[in-house]
Amino acid sequence: MAEFPKIVSADPKGVLTGRHFMDGDHALAEGALAAGCRFFAGYPITPSTETAERFAERCPEVGGLFIQMEDEIASITANVGAVWGGKKVMTVTSGPGFSLMMETFGLAAMMEVPMVIADVQRGGPSTGLPTLTAQQDMMQVRWGSHGDYRIIALVPDSPQECFDLAVEAFNLSEIYRVPVFIMTDETVGHMHEKVVIPPAEEIKVVERNWYTGPKEEYRPYKFDGKHGAPMVKAGDGYRFHSTGLTHDERGYPALTAEDNKKLLTHLIQKIDNNADKIIRVEESGLEDADIVVVSYGITSRIAIRAVQVAREQGLKVGFLRLITVWPFCENKIRELAGRVKAIVVPELNYGQIVLEVERAAAGKCKVISVNSCGGAVHDPEEILTAIMEGAK
Amino acid sequence: MWEIKFSGFGGQGIVRCALITGKAVALYDDKYATMTQSFGPEARGGACQSQLIISGSRVLYPYCTSAGVLVALSQEAYDTYEPGLADGGILIIEEELVKPKANSSRVKLYPIGATRIAEAVGNRLFANLVVLGFFSAITGAASADAMKKALPGLVPDRFLKANLQAFDKGFEHGLATASQTNGAAQ
């Protein structure tokens, strides 16, 4: 059996080693290129367009292919096809485009296609606030396509993390054969900060799990609830089939309740059973906290300010930043809820991830939502007020 | 910590000013810098602004809460953003394009004829670099050395020399202005 996951150093051709003053959108493109992404079909939409532009500009240097498609549906579908052609792929979009791509996200989950999608979130619903920030697609990414499935979603809080998490997103997608989402936002996307891109040999990249056995024994699927089957390239002489219909391990339609149970359980378990390995959080001051602020992305930077002020006033406030939002760190929240007075959840939406926090807290502590209609980041005072309320 | 706002109308190189300063500080002055900009329809032709936060530690809140420095290169930008400048803040204006309020004693006013100086260097398009040189000398928020190192890649190669000249002119003018102002204060 081949070594899995096979970890190699990044291809230096795609790595722009050095110190840069760069925005989050460009850093996403650089992270993708460093991770080995060489195909990008997309359709421009504010505030994500800069990622597509950067990728297109860099393609000739790295031997990649960029295609501007006729719309978002075509874009995401071309990416699915390119994965079966052997490429690592990414696309970026924002609210309206994200909605259009939803059906194919389900197809990608069903076909177990490793791919990375970034949603540079803007205010919605509909065309909403094209140029202004929000975090309103956090539940849509989890539940937006029909049927039961699992995905992974990461949320960067800075241009540096756009780079770092793009690499990680590709690695996770290859390990679990699953679409991985980077749920950034307009503020981080358009914000310039220092981005350090390490030398190629320091960037660890997970290679596609290529099948190496006899051709006649190849099966494109393996419902093991772990990582799934190794992959092949279309056109390399392997006989395989892949479909959105419920299928067996050969990939052929198998349309019974039992078949669906085998397949679906696998899609769900490969993420749920590995959640501890996938989930990353940043935390501080949780040991003796009375109140914990749970946040993610740009909002977590605003939250730290409020936490600092509250600590200066003598309150025991812990800070938990979700770097991985899906799968959700429910064990962590459950444990905290058992020993703190309150959990405060600021987010740039009308209360989405707070619902998960409430579910995991299960009434054991107060959960305070600091919601927003998007369009601008919080005033730290709003979060401070909620912390004070939690301390009562 | 510095909270700086560059403003003017679209096309004056406002965003470029913030980019150059941010890059200078983040890569060559070894401080933290976070730059944001007005974006979208409002940034095309109308009042355009870019914000830069400079700090010795990681920048958390990415926008100005009370700007300590305002660079205003158009009347509209001055009218819009001057009220957001902190008391005692530094206000740099292009003197031929901005007519400040009669009583501007709330802030420290530094006018410069950047467009005329740029024309002497060769092209009025270099006015934003004159302003940046002036800004660097007046505020010290970013060193001249770092600013010059930041220019390659952010201005066209063939105009690098002229942009450096424009920066130097602005910087000299700034040093002279600062010494006069300090002299007057003493």
Side-chain angles (χ1 to χ4, degrees):
Chain A
M1 172 126 183
E3 167 202 4
F4 179 81
K6 190 175 174 196
I7 298 168
V8 298
S9 289
D11 172 7
K13 221 170 19 168
V15 183
L16 204 64
T17 301
R19 297 153 76 243
H20 309 271
F21 194 61
M22 191 182 272
D23 71 11
D25 279 0
H26 284 181
L28 278 177
E30 290 303 332
L33 289 164
C37 176
R38 294 293 180 268
F39 183 91
F40 187 126
Y43 189 78
I45 183 167
T46 300
S48 73
T49 305
E50 290 85 347
T51 308
E53 283 174 344
R54 179 84 172 197
F55 196 94
E57 192 184 320
R58 296 263 284 128
C59 264
E61 301 161 22
V62 303
L65 182 64
F66 172 84
I67 310 178
Q68 181 172 324
M69 301 296 290
E70 66 269 33
D71 62 25
E72 285 87 350
I73 298 174
S75 301
I76 190 66
T77 314
N79 282 311
V80 170
V83 172
W84 288 113
K87 296 291 183 194
K88 288 190 175 182
V89 310
M90 176 166 89
T91 195
V92 296
T93 190
S94 189
F98 202 54
S99 291
L100 286 174
M101 290 182 181
M102 275 299 149
E103 183 184 0
T104 306
F105 294 155
L107 178 67
M110 187 65 147
M111 289 167 67
E112 299 189 63
V113 172
M115 63 193 310
V116 174
I117 303 99
D119 178 5
V120 188
Q121 296 172 86
R122 66 190 221 185
S126 190
T127 29
L129 298 168
T131 63
L132 299 177
T133 197
Q135 297 176 311
Q136 295 173 327
D137 309 341
M138 299 307 298
M139 280 293 179
Q140 187 189 18
V141 67
R142 171 68 185 80
W143 302 103
S145 202
H146 55 278
D148 271 325
Y149 60 99
R150 293 287 187 270
I151 49 89
I152 295 172
L154 312 173
V155 189
D157 73 348
S158 63
Q160 179 69 54
E161 222 172 54
C162 284
F163 177 87
D164 297 341
L165 292 187
V167 175
E168 183 160 333
F170 274 94
N171 289 347
L172 289 169
S173 78
E174 295 295 340
I175 295 173
Y176 298 106
R177 270 188 71 172
V178 72
V180 178
F181 295 83
I182 302 172
M183 300 302 288
T184 181
D185 68 275
E186 188 277 331
T187 305
V188 171
H190 286 156
M191 169 198 286
H192 278 77
E193 288 187 335
K194 183 163 83 173
V195 174
V196 179
I197 300 182
E201 61 270 22
E202 290 173 20
I203 301 173
K204 297 302 168 205
V205 167
V206 175
E207 276 203 340
R208 181 144 305 158
N209 186 16
W210 295 116
Y211 176 75
T212 53
K215 284 192 174 169
E216 59 279 12
E217 287 175 23
Y218 180 65
R219 296 283 180 276
Y221 294 102
K222 183 179 170 192
F223 304 139
D224 59 1
K226 290 176 184 158
H227 306 288
M231 295 178 74
V232 295
K233 270 185 238 177
D236 272 2
Y238 294 89
R239 182 177 166 166
F240 84 99
H241 196 265
S242 189
T243 172
L245 286 168
T246 297
H247 45 266
D248 58 23
E249 295 195 342
R250 297 172 306 157
Y252 287 108
L255 305 174
T256 68
E258 294 79 55
D259 291 315
N260 209 42
K261 186 176 178 187
K262 270 188 223 162
L263 169 53
L264 207 67
T265 309
H266 164 68
L267 295 183
I268 288 170
Q269 284 188 347
K270 70 178 179 180
I271 303 302
D272 286 5
N273 291 351
N274 290 304
D276 289 345
K277 281 188 240 168
I278 297 168
I279 291 171
R280 278 181 52 202
V281 296
E282 179 194 337
E283 54 182 70
S284 77
L286 293 184
E287 313 76 37
D288 60 345
D290 289 328
I291 303 127
V292 176
V293 178
V294 175
S295 56
Y296 52 91
I298 186 62
T299 305
S300 60
R301 293 174 61 153
I302 316 303
I304 298 176
R305 246 207 188 176
V307 168
Q308 285 172 346
V309 175
R311 282 177 184 165
E312 280 162 19
Q313 295 181 15
L315 294 177
K316 287 183 179 167
V317 186
F319 173 78
L320 181 67
R321 176 167 77 96
L322 312 181
I323 298 169
T324 315
V325 168
W326 302 112
F328 185 70
C329 58
E330 56 187 78
N331 293 337
K332 185 98 201 166
I333 299 294
R334 192 172 299 126
E335 184 267 320
L336 285 171
R339 63 179 169 89
V340 303
K341 277 202 228 170
I343 298 177
V344 173
V345 189
E347 44 186 343
L348 293 178
N349 54 54
Y350 219 71
Q352 294 190 8
I353 297 303
V354 69
L355 301 174
E356 276 299 282
V357 174
E358 282 172 355
R359 183 181 67 79
K364 285 188 280 182
C365 73
K366 217 175 349 173
V367 176
I368 303 170
S369 170
V370 189
N371 59 28
S372 149
C373 293
V377 299
H378 287 85
D379 181 336
E381 283 291 325
E382 297 172 70
I383 303 171
L384 187 61
T385 305
I387 293 172
M388 296 302 180
E389 189 190 325
K392 279 181 199 161
Chain B
M1 191 170 87
W2 291 92
E3 293 191 8
I4 301 160
K5 191 171 276 188
F6 295 92
S7 64
F9 47 78
Q12 280 182 312
I14 300 301
V15 171
R16 191 73 18 177
C17 279
L19 264 179
I20 293 166
T21 313
K23 180 182 171 188
V25 167
L27 302 191
Y28 308 115
D29 275 346
D30 213 19
K31 289 181 196 155
Y32 290 84
T34 299
M35 179 236 162
T36 56
Q37 62 195 278
S38 62
F39 184 82
E42 73 277 13
R44 313 278 190 269
C48 166
Q49 56 93 18
S50 188
Q51 305 182 26
L52 183 67
I53 315 292
I54 298 173
S55 174
S57 58
R58 190 184 178 209
V59 175
L60 298 172
Y61 194 80
Y63 302 106
C64 294
T65 46
S66 172
V69 182
L70 172 66
V71 176
L73 302 188
S74 76
Q75 189 66 43
E76 189 185 351
Y78 170 85
D79 294 341
T80 309
Y81 301 119
E82 191 273 340
L85 180 61
D87 288 345
I90 294 172
L91 173 61
I92 294 172
I93 57 168
E94 157 51 71
E95 63 191 14
E96 289 189 17
L97 299 174
V98 177
K99 189 172 184 297
K101 288 181 266 194
N103 183 3
S104 309
S105 59
R106 186 182 77 81
V107 298
K108 293 182 207 135
L109 181 67
Y110 294 93
I112 177 171
T115 311
R116 294 284 165 255
I117 297 172
E119 281 170 354
V121 172
N123 193 319
R124 58 167 52 197
L125 286 177
F126 305 136
N128 63 337
L129 263 294
V130 176
V131 170
L132 272 191
F134 189 68
F135 160 86
S136 172
I138 297 288
T139 65
S143 72
D145 188 40
M147 294 286 254
K148 289 186 195 177
K149 277 191 201 160
L151 283 184
L154 290 179
V155 299
D157 287 344
R158 64 186 191 283
F159 295 128
L160 180 59
K161 213 174 136 194
N163 275 299
L164 284 167
Q165 269 180 347
F167 180 89
D168 284 338
K169 290 284 177 204
F171 191 79
E172 287 161 20
H173 195 72
L175 288 182
T177 306
S179 66
Q180 278 169 19
T181 314
N182 290 341
Q186 284 157 14

